[in-house]
Amino acid sequence: MFLLSGNSQAVLIDTGATADPAYFPLRRTVDSLISEWLAENPRDGYRLTVVHTHGHGDHVAGDAQFDDRPDTTVVGKSLTDVVAFYGLPEWPDGAATLDLGGRVVDVLPGPGHHKAAVVFYDRYTGLLFTGDTVYRGRLYVEDWQAFRTTISRLVDFAASRPVSHVLGCHIEMTTTPGRDHMIGSTHQPHEPPPQLTVEHLRALNDMLTEVGDSPGAPPFGEIGTYPHDDFVIWRM
Ligand SMILES: [Zn+2]
């Protein structure tokens, strides 16, 4: 999860995998971070918008903790909600922006892993938030053609502006190239760092181009995987 602060509002990207505030006090943590920020940058009417990289359960479970928070919008997770909130009538084409006040975040349609996935680009830090679409782990592809288009567009997007890091939402790789931790692992010693680079986007795009329209054939192995040193494409 990521919390970005602008002059008029903060944006929380994703709410994690646990609903219960007793085990996972996300609201309390976010409130305390915003209070600290407001103590240093006092102003009235500061809002919070809760957005999602996509609607899978492990990215939206904490949403309800924000239901009764004043001055807060929680964006829905369905494709209809996403298209309506950002203003993306040409989905999956087009792009939108989210203005935090002096800090603009680009919102790009990014279906493939999930049909309502989006990618966020923070112009202030150059961070590209790719959710479960690109991260250091198993890239589960639900819609092959949509995924190819999304990655190709991200490569184009990244070619014309500075990208400091490509930040996804999980780490599943080990420090051994091409090896992931076991599915369901709760202990992952010697994790590599979360961030990836534009070079990784290009490598992924090249792999998808190589596979073309036939993800059922080699280089995919029997269980539908195609590994890179720092991620694994998983055909669903
Ligand atoms: Zn996901």
Side-chain angles (χ1 to χ4, degrees):
M1 292 149 289
F2 306 91
L3 183 66
L4 312 180
S5 297
N7 287 325
S8 57
Q9 64 168 333
V11 166
L12 173 65
I13 303 178
D14 287 352
T15 61
T18 306
D20 189 339
Y23 294 102
F24 183 65
L26 179 63
R27 160 80 181 276
R28 196 176 76 206
T29 306
V30 167
D31 282 354
S32 124
L33 288 168
I34 290 177
S35 296
E36 278 172 35
W37 191 88
L38 284 174
E40 288 171 20
N41 306 276
R43 67 206 57 213
D44 294 326
Y46 199 65
R47 296 190 53 81
L48 172 67
T49 302
V50 178
V51 302
H52 310 103
T53 57
H54 63 298
H56 282 153
D58 54 334
H59 297 256
V60 304
D63 278 15
Q65 294 186 27
F66 297 88
D67 279 351
D68 60 349
R69 191 183 187 282
D71 303 318
T72 299
T73 302
V74 179
V75 179
K77 59 191 184 185
S78 74
L79 182 56
T80 309
D81 292 333
V82 167
V83 164
F85 178 79
Y86 298 112
L88 289 164
E90 310 296 323
W91 181 281
D93 300 328
T97 54
L98 203 51
D99 191 348
L100 283 58
R103 184 174 189 177
V104 173
V105 172
D106 293 289
V107 184
L108 313 170
H113 168 73
H114 180 275
K115 69 176 178 185
V118 294
V119 170
F120 300 103
Y121 174 71
D122 175 26
R123 296 182 191 176
Y124 183 68
T125 58
L127 294 171
L128 188 68
F129 297 101
T130 46
D132 286 1
T133 299
V134 183
Y135 67 96
R136 210 178 271 274
R138 295 178 285 270
L139 311 182
Y140 296 110
V141 182
E142 175 192 276
D143 180 332
W144 183 257
Q145 296 307 339
F147 191 76
R148 282 182 70 192
T149 303
T150 288
I151 300 305
S152 155
R153 284 178 175 174
L154 289 180
V155 167
D156 289 345
F157 181 87
S160 56
R161 63 264 289 158
V163 173
S164 51
H165 296 293
V166 175
L167 272 178
C169 285
H170 300 280
I171 302 173
E172 291 156 353
M173 300 310 284
T174 66
T175 47
T176 304
R179 277 277 295 273
D180 50 340
H181 283 99
M182 275 197 331
I183 292 175
S185 293
T186 55
H187 178 59
Q188 299 190 165
H190 313 298
E191 267 184 353
Q195 70 271 18
L196 292 168
T197 64
V198 172
E199 194 49 54
H200 287 100
L201 287 182
R202 284 196 286 263
L204 173 58
N205 193 45
D206 289 348
M207 290 163 78
L208 297 172
T209 303
E210 175 198 0
V211 173
D213 291 329
S214 317
F220 273 90
E222 270 176 37
I223 56 168
T225 61
Y226 181 14
H228 174 278
D229 281 357
D230 298 316
F231 53 81
V232 183
I233 307 174
W234 273 62
R235 183 193 70 225
M236 300 302 285

